[in-house]
Amino acid sequence: MDIVELTVTALAERVRGRQLSAVEVAQAYLARIAELEPTLHAFITVDAEGALAAARALDLRLARGEDVGPLAGVPIALKDIFVTQGLRTTCGSRILADWVPPYEGTPSARLRAAGAVVLGKANMDEFAMGSSNENSAFGVCRNPWDVDRVPGGSSGGSAAAVAGRLCLGALGTDTGGSIRQPAALCGVVGIKPTYGRVSRYGVIAFASSLDQVGPIARTTEDAAALLEVIAGHDPLDATSLPQPVGRYREACRRGVRGLRIGVPAEYFAAGLDPEIETAVRAAIDQLAAQGAEVVDISLPHTKYAIATYYLLCTAEASSNLARYDGVRFGLRAARPRDLRDLYSRTRHDGFGPEVRRRIILGTFALSAGYYDAYYAKGQRVRTLIRQDFSRAFERCDVIVVSTLPIMVFKLGERLDDSLQMYLADIYTISCNLAGLPGLSLPCGFSRQGLPIGLQVLGPPLGEEQVFAVAGSYEQAHDWHRRVPEVRR
Amino acid sequence: MTMAMTMAKTMAKTMAKTMAKTPWEVVIGLEVHVQLATQTKLFCGCSTQFGAPPNTNVCAVCSGQPGVLPVLNAQAITFALKLGLATGGTIRRRSRFARKNYFYPDLPKGYQISQYDEPLVEGGAVEIWYEGQPRSIGLTRIHLEEDAGKNVHLATGAASLVDLNRAGVPLIEVVSEPALRAPEEAAEYMRTLRGIVRALGICDGNLEQGSLRCDANISLRPWGQQALGTKVEVKNINSFRFVQKALEYEIERQGGLLTRGQTIQQETRQWNAEGGRTESMRSKEEAHDYRYFPEPDLPPVMIEEGLIDAVRAALPELPLQRRQRLMEQDGLSEYDATELTRESELTDYYSRAVAAGALPKRVANWMLTELLSRVTDARDVAQAPVAPAGLAELLGLLESGKVSGKLAKEIWAKMWDSGRTALQIATEGGLFQQSDSGAIEQAVRAVVDAHPDRVADYRAGKTKLMGWFVGQVMQATQGKANPQLVNTLLTQLLDG
C-alpha cells in the first residue's frame, strides 16, 4: 500500500481504524516534500515539526478511543492566505514576510478540528493577485507536469502540492478563478463554492465581495469530503450563508440522469484553444451518454466580465490593503522622516509591482468624479451578469464549459503582458461576479501531455448538482489517476 | 393675537437684535458624534469601558489584523433607532454601511466603517427651547459608525504612540440642517440633544470623556440673501461652552473678512481650546477624497416593522415633555422646570420627593439651591446621601411650621453629613420651632418689660424698632420661636 496514493476517505478510515498512524502518514508526505519541494517550491513555509506534533496528538487521542473527526490524519496544505495562529502567514508578500498571526481563521480551524494535519503554507501570487504564481515574493512555484511551466494562480502552490502528492488536499481561495484555474493547469479537482458558503474569517482579503474559500484535491469525492468540513455558517462572517451544508460526497455518486446541462455559445467562441475545445465537447458528449440532457444557452454579457471584474476587484483591494501601513504589524520602513514617508516607503518596499498596480487602479476607480463611471457602473454590469445566469438556470441545472481558453504557459512567457494574463481569466471570472459555485476537474491531456480542465458551474447553493456532474464524468475516466513524473 | 403674529413679532425682535450687532446672518449646522453606551464595540466583542490602560480593550478585529471581519452589534442598531424615533425621523428599512478610506495611524484598517448614501435614519427634528420660544431644528440624518483610536505624541518628540481602546467604539452621527442662527442656539441644541440621548439611555453624556463631540459648519450671508455663504467646518469641539466660543470666534473672523471685502475660504478648521481660537487644518484643495463605497463585509441592515414598533413603544418621556409636564401639572415656573429637566437624575429626584408628599414648588426651590450646591455634577444627585423621601420629610416639617427655614438648612446639613432623618435630628437637637403661644408670649413680655425706653421710642413713631424686638425675642428663645407668632404678639403688645 502506497500511503500517498490513498484517497481522503480511505486514508481517514485507516487512521481512525488505527491500521495506519497519523504520524506514519505525515512522515510519508514530509518525505515527498523533502524530495520534490526543492524543484516545485509549492510551499512558502513547511511546518514539519507542527505537523508531526499534531499527528502525534491525534494518535494519542485515537489510542484513548476518542473520535478525532472525519479527516483523521489527512495531510493538508493551506494557501498562505489562511491565517494560522503561531504559524507565519505571508500572503505571498514581503510586507507580511515575518507576520506570525495572533489568531486562527475559521476554515483552517474547522479542518484541524476534523482531524486534518497541516503540513505547511502553500505558495501563491502575492495577495492572490495573479494567474501564474509568478507574483509570489517567495519565488515561483512550478507545474509538476512540466517544471518549465507555471502551476497557475493564484492558488498555484496548493494545486501543485496536490498534483505532486506533496499533500492529500489543500485549501485555496478563488476571487476570479484562483482555485479552478490552477486546478485545471495542474490536473486536479478544485471547487469554488457559492459566495458565503465557506467562512472568510481569517482569510486575508483581496476582493471581499468576490473572495471564496474552497478545497483542491485529486478526486471530486476528496474535494467533497473537505468541503463538507469547511462549509457552513460562521457567526464571525456576516456574509456567510445560514443554509445547511449539502451532502457533497453522496452527490458525487448520484449520476446525471435527467440533469439538464447548459452549454453557452459565448464560451466556445474565438480564442478557445482547439485541443481544449475538443476535450470539453467530448466531455459534454460523455455526460449526455450518461443520461444528461444538453441544452444551448446564452450568457450575453460575458464579454463585459473581465472589465467589470478588474474594476471591482481592484477597487475593493485598494481598500482592503490599506491596513498594511507599517504601524501595527508587518514590514515597516526604517527611520521614516515623517508619517507620509513611513506610509509610502513601507508600501512601496512591501508590495510587488502587480499589487501596486492594482491598488493604484482601484484607488482611481473609487475617486471622486470617477466613482459613477467606474465602480457604480461596474456594479450595474455585475447585476446584468448575475441576471444572465439566473435566466440560464431556468433552462438548465448546471453549465459545462472549459476552465481556461488556453493551455498552460511557460514561466515568464506572459509576465510582461498583464492584459494577456487578465484575458486568460475569461471563463472563470463570471462565476465570482455572480457568486455561483464552480468546479474544475481534469478532462484529458494535450498531445504535449499537459492537463486540460473541465468547468462545471451551478446555481447559488447548487454544489450538489455540480458534484453530481463532476463525479459522474470522473467515474468514466482515469485522468485523475495519472501521476505527474516530476523531472528536475 | 394669532400664533403667526406672535412668531412674526418674535422673529422681528430677534432679527433686530442680531442685525444691530452685525450686517451678516449666521447659518450654522452641527454634526454631533454621540458615543453609544453599548457594552461592546460596534463590530467586535471588546469592552467599551473608558479609561482602561492603553491597548487593553483590543482584539484581532478592532486592531485590523489581516483576515478579520466585522460583525454588527445589534444593540447599537436599537440605540440608533431610539434616537431616530424620538426625533421623528424616517427609519430606512434597508440601510447600508460604507467604507470611508483614509490613512491615519489611529485608524487600524485604513478605512472607517460608516454609513454614506443609505443612512439608518433620515429627517426628523430636535425641539429646543431658545430665548423663551420653542424651535424645531431639522435633522438631515442619523447614521452609525465606528470611532477611531487615539494618537499620543510623547512630549519629548521621541515617538508617537497609538491607543486602540477607542477604535471600533460605536458612534452615531447626528447631522442637523443648517437651521441654527446663533452660537448660543447651537449650544442649546447640543445641550438638548445631550438631554435626549441621556433620557433614552443610549449615551452617558460625559462630555469630558468625549461622549459627545461636535463639528460645526458655519457660514455668513447678508440679511435677506437666499443662497448660503461659503462654509467653514470647525472640528474637534467637545463642550457646550466651546461650541459657543468657537462659533463666536468664527463669526468675528468671517464677519471681519467680509466687511473688509475679502472672501471666505472653504476649509476645515480646528478649535484650539487653549488659545480660544480656530486654526486652519486643510483647505478645500487639500480635502480628503474618502473614496466611499459600500462595505462588502457587511450585508445591508434590514429593519423589520416589529423592531420599530417595539422600540417606539418603549420610548421614555423626553426632557422637553417632562419640562412641559412639570409646568402644566405641578405649576412650576419655566425656569424651575427647565433646570429640573436638564438631567434625568434631577427629574427623578424631584418626582420621587413630590411622590413622597412634598409640595412641588418647595421641592424645586430646595433642589435648585440647597441640593445642587452640594454636588459637583447634577447627575450625582442619584447617589445623594439624602434620599428624595428624606427631603420630603424635611420639607413637611418646614411646611407645617415645626421647624423654621433657618433651622431647616441646619437640619439639612446634618442629614447630609450623618445620614440620619430630619425628624431624628430635630428631636435630638431640640430644634423644633416653638408655636406654643403661651411660652412665646412670656418671652415677648419679658423683652418688652426689660426695655421701657425702646417701647416709648417705638410708640413715638420709630416703628422700625419692631425688627429689633423680634431679634431680641428670637435670641431669648434660641431661634426656636415661630417668627410669625412673635410678630403678631409683639404687634398686639406694643400697639395695644
Side-chain angles (χ1 to χ4, degrees):
Chain A
M1 177 190 63
D2 187 352
I3 292 176
V4 299
E5 287 308 322
L6 290 171
T7 64
V8 166
T9 311
L11 183 135
E13 239 168 55
R14 282 174 170 75
V15 172
R16 286 162 65 90
R18 302 187 62 207
Q19 293 124 287
L20 197 58
S21 75
V23 169
E24 279 176 277
V25 175
Q27 280 166 341
Y29 274 94
L30 288 170
R32 285 287 292 183
I33 291 174
E35 184 193 345
L36 294 177
E37 175 60 10
T39 307
L40 295 178
H41 196 34
F43 286 88
I44 290 173
T45 305
V46 174
D47 184 23
E49 211 175 295
L52 288 170
R56 272 194 297 274
L58 284 173
D59 286 336
L60 273 173
R61 289 176 55 203
L62 285 162
R64 287 200 297 265
E66 288 179 39
D67 181 2
V68 301
L71 300 181
V74 172
I76 294 289
L78 298 171
K79 183 180 185 179
D80 208 14
I81 202 168
F82 291 94
V83 174
T84 45
Q85 185 166 15
L87 178 60
R88 179 174 83 139
T89 301
T90 69
C91 214
S93 180
R94 255 175 65 76
I95 211 157
L96 286 178
D98 301 313
W99 186 54
V100 179
Y103 76 103
E104 181 86 12
T106 300
S108 54
R110 286 190 176 173
L111 282 183
R112 292 184 203 266
V117 172
V118 174
L119 296 174
K121 308 297 290 289
N123 206 345
M124 59 182 287
D125 284 299
E126 183 178 8
F127 282 98
M129 298 177 188
S131 312
S132 68
N133 219 107
E134 290 167 295
N135 296 332
S136 168
F138 299 87
V140 296
C141 170
R142 291 167 185 275
N143 193 314
W145 295 95
D146 178 351
V147 295
D148 291 330
R149 292 178 190 268
V150 301
S154 63
S155 312
S158 299
V162 171
R165 272 60 177 167
L166 275 59
C167 60
L168 179 49
L171 290 194
T173 58
D174 190 317
T175 306
S178 281
I179 287 174
R180 292 159 288 155
Q181 187 257 28
L185 298 186
C186 289
V188 292
V189 178
I191 177 167
K192 178 207 95 76
T194 306
Y195 181 78
R197 183 67 294 182
V198 181
S199 172
R200 292 184 294 118
Y201 186 76
V203 183
I204 298 179
F206 160 19
S208 313
S209 76
L210 300 159
D211 294 345
Q212 184 55 203
V213 173
I216 296 176
R218 288 176 219 156
T219 67
T220 52
E221 212 173 302
D222 279 6
L226 295 176
L227 185 58
E228 281 181 9
V229 167
I230 59 171
H233 181 253
D234 178 9
L236 297 177
D237 177 359
T239 64
S240 79
L241 298 171
Q243 286 85 347
V245 176
R247 304 173 69 167
Y248 307 136
R249 274 179 300 177
E250 190 198 288
C252 291
R253 297 171 187 198
R254 212 173 274 172
V256 290
R257 190 155 303 280
L259 274 184
R260 296 166 301 166
I261 293 178
V263 178
E266 293 83 357
Y267 282 63
F268 292 87
L272 176 59
D273 183 294
E275 260 194 285
I276 295 174
E277 180 167 359
T278 307
V280 171
R281 291 215 185 265
I284 293 168
D285 291 344
Q286 168 73 58
L287 289 165
Q290 289 175 328
E293 181 194 341
V294 177
V295 292
D296 288 330
I297 56 162
S298 174
L299 299 166
H301 293 94
T302 300
K303 56 181 179 251
Y304 303 116
I306 288 185
T308 303
Y309 171 81
Y310 278 96
L311 267 176
L312 299 181
C313 81
T314 56
E316 291 182 15
S318 72
S319 174
N320 282 331
L321 271 60
R323 69 189 62 197
Y324 308 100
D325 57 4
V327 174
R328 293 164 314 284
F329 46 75
L331 186 77
R332 175 189 290 178
R335 285 182 292 284
R337 277 193 313 279
D338 52 25
L339 190 57
R340 208 188 170 85
D341 187 46
L342 168 76
Y343 288 152
S344 57
R345 280 204 290 125
T346 297
R347 291 167 66 78
H348 182 275
D349 298 348
F351 293 135
E354 180 63 24
V355 173
R356 292 206 300 273
R357 176 166 29 243
R358 294 201 194 186
I359 289 173
I360 291 167
L361 281 171
T363 302
F364 179 75
L366 289 175
S367 301
Y370 297 100
Y371 180 87
D372 288 334
Y374 294 129
Y375 189 82
K377 187 173 276 180
Q379 287 291 14
R380 289 198 295 277
V381 180
R382 183 177 188 173
T383 305
L384 293 176
I385 289 170
R386 195 175 281 145
Q387 284 169 358
D388 274 4
F389 280 101
S390 33
R391 278 196 205 103
F393 282 119
E394 285 166 13
R395 303 189 53 228
C396 63
D397 303 303
V398 292
I399 293 170
V400 175
V401 294
S402 171
T403 310
L404 278 108
I406 55 166
M407 282 294 174
V408 56
F409 45 92
K410 292 200 163 161
L411 285 161
E413 195 181 314
R414 292 181 166 234
L415 205 49
D416 296 328
D417 193 344
S418 296
L419 194 59
Q420 276 307 309
M421 197 82 104
Y422 295 173
L423 290 174
D425 297 339
I426 175 105
Y427 296 156
T428 47
I429 269 173
S430 298
C431 168
N432 298 80
L433 290 169
L436 309 174
L439 179 149
S440 179
L441 78 162
C443 70
F445 288 82
S446 71
R447 284 186 299 273
Q448 280 183 279
L450 300 172
I452 297 171
L454 181 74
Q455 189 177 202
V456 187
L457 306 175
L461 291 173
E463 278 83 0
E464 289 190 8
Q465 283 138 263
V466 169
F467 275 117
V469 172
S472 180
Y473 175 82
E474 198 180 68
Q475 274 164 26
H477 295 278
D478 68 348
W479 310 122
H480 59 282
R481 280 190 247 280
R482 292 203 194 175
V483 182
E485 211 178 296
V486 181
R487 281 187 294 266
R488 268 159 278 190
Chain B
M1 200 155 57
T2 66
M3 181 79 126
M5 279 168 70
T6 320
M7 280 178 65
K9 263 184 99 169
T10 319
M11 275 173 69
K13 237 168 72 187
T14 319
M15 274 172 72
K17 210 171 108 190
T18 324
M19 279 176 84
K21 281 192 286 187
T22 154
W24 312 108
E25 187 188 15
V26 176
V27 178
I28 299 166
L30 293 191
E31 294 168 13
V32 181
H33 291 91
V34 179
Q35 182 180 319
L36 296 181
T38 54
Q39 293 298 300
T40 56
K41 292 185 178 181
L42 189 51
F43 299 117
C44 67
C46 286
S47 165
T48 54
Q49 193 210 339
F50 180 84
N55 294 314
T56 52
N57 293 338
V58 170
C59 70
V61 174
C62 59
S63 65
Q65 301 293 315
V68 298
L69 295 170
V71 178
L72 182 59
N73 180 339
Q75 194 181 36
I77 292 281
T78 310
F79 279 13
L81 285 181
K82 280 188 182 182
L83 183 60
L85 292 171
T87 52
T90 306
I91 311 297
R92 263 182 180 273
R93 296 303 187 270
R94 178 188 191 275
S95 77
R96 211 153 45 150
F97 284 94
R99 290 189 186 175
K100 179 178 178 178
N101 296 284
Y102 65 96
F103 285 95
Y104 207 57
D106 67 8
L107 188 69
K109 299 185 294 297
Y111 56 84
Q112 178 195 30
I113 304 179
S114 180
Q115 294 193 295
Y116 185 53
D117 52 357
E118 297 174 60
L120 191 62
V121 184
E122 287 167 311
V126 171
E127 310 298 329
I128 69 167
W129 198 263
Y130 177 62
E131 290 192 329
Q133 296 289 325
R135 282 262 287 141
S136 178
I137 307 302
L139 298 182
T140 311
R141 58 190 278 157
I142 299 172
H143 74 243
L144 265 170
E145 62 184 28
E146 58 176 340
D147 207 344
K150 206 167 67 180
N151 291 345
V152 185
H153 306 288
L154 292 188
T156 59
S160 291
L161 305 173
V162 183
D163 178 5
L164 294 180
N165 280 350
R166 211 179 59 187
V169 165
L171 304 176
I172 46 176
E173 183 172 326
V174 184
V175 183
S176 86
E177 294 282 301
L180 298 157
R181 291 292 176 268
E184 311 88 75
E185 192 183 25
E188 186 55 34
Y189 163 82
M190 202 172 155
R191 220 175 267 131
T192 306
L193 184 59
R194 177 178 171 282
I196 295 173
V197 295
R198 287 209 69 227
L200 293 172
I202 63 172
C203 171
D204 61 21
N206 290 328
L207 296 167
E208 64 284 0
Q209 296 178 0
S211 295
L212 274 97
R213 282 166 274 158
C214 141
D215 299 341
N217 288 298
I218 175 167
S219 64
L220 269 52
R221 63 181 170 193
W223 287 102
Q225 179 181 303
Q226 277 297 307
L228 290 168
T230 304
K231 78 168 182 190
V232 166
E233 185 181 10
V234 186
K235 283 194 167 300
N236 191 29
I237 315 174
N238 59 6
S239 82
F240 307 136
R241 198 159 59 89
F242 289 158
V243 77
Q244 190 168 333
K245 287 194 163 231
L247 288 168
E248 281 166 356
Y249 181 89
E250 269 305 298
I251 292 169
E252 280 292 314
R253 189 186 70 85
Q254 293 185 25
L257 286 170
L258 290 170
T259 305
R260 289 194 297 276
Q262 289 170 293
T263 53
I264 305 295
Q265 298 302 313
Q266 186 178 331
E267 63 178 341
T268 302
R269 299 176 72 86
Q270 182 166 296
W271 170 246
N272 175 331
E274 290 81 44
R277 58 178 183 272
T278 67
E279 293 160 351
S280 185
M281 262 175 88
R282 50 179 180 258
S283 69
K284 189 187 174 190
E285 289 70 32
E286 293 164 324
H288 291 302
D289 177 356
Y290 290 120
R291 293 172 283 122
Y292 281 100
F293 73 103
E295 166 58 280
D297 287 333
L298 291 167
V301 180
M302 310 302 284
I303 304 292
E304 288 176 16
E305 208 63 43
L307 178 62
I308 294 177
D309 292 343
V311 170
R312 199 194 306 272
L315 283 182
E317 189 184 37
L318 297 180
L320 267 196
Q321 296 168 330
R322 284 181 197 154
R323 179 179 175 279
Q324 201 62 27
R325 183 168 55 82
L326 296 197
M327 287 166 69
E328 283 168 9
Q329 284 181 11
D330 294 358
L332 294 190
S333 69
E334 187 187 310
Y335 174 82
D336 287 355
T338 306
E339 293 307 314
L340 283 177
T341 49
R342 287 254 184 246
E343 302 284 6
S344 36
E345 287 84 352
L346 281 179
T347 322
D348 289 348
Y349 195 102
Y350 164 85
S351 304
R352 293 210 273 148
V354 171
L359 289 178
K361 180 65 195 161
R362 272 203 195 278
V363 176
N365 280 346
W366 197 273
M367 285 181 64
L368 296 177
T369 52
E370 303 308 320
L371 178 58
L372 281 184
S373 67
R374 285 185 178 271
V375 291
T376 43
D377 187 314
R379 287 173 285 169
D380 296 343
V381 303
Q383 290 91 42
V386 182
L391 173 60
E393 187 190 72
L394 174 65
L395 294 179
L397 295 177
L398 188 64
E399 184 64 27
S400 62
K402 289 193 177 124
V403 299
S404 67
K406 185 167 170 290
L407 283 176
K409 287 181 190 174
E410 278 179 39
I411 295 170
W412 171 255
K414 287 185 176 144
M415 289 167 78
W416 196 274
D417 296 335
S418 67
R420 287 181 301 151
T421 69
L423 206 58
Q424 283 170 342
I425 292 167
T427 311
E428 287 163 25
L431 300 176
F432 282 117
Q433 182 162 266
Q434 271 185 27
S435 297
D436 170 357
S437 52
I440 295 175
E441 198 177 336
Q442 237 175 14
V444 170
R445 267 188 201 290
V447 170
V448 169
D449 291 347
H451 302 92
D453 311 350
R454 304 242 171 175
V455 172
D457 287 351
Y458 176 88
R459 290 191 173 142
K462 275 191 150 184
T463 50
K464 276 193 221 158
L465 278 169
M466 176 57 92
W468 182 83
F469 280 110
V470 172
Q472 289 298 305
V473 176
M474 294 307 285
Q475 208 172 19
T477 59
Q478 286 107 48
K480 281 182 267 180
N482 181 334
Q484 272 175 328
L485 209 55
V486 172
N487 246 310
T488 315
L489 290 169
L490 269 173
T491 311
Q492 279 173 9
L493 219 60
L494 294 171
D495 293 356

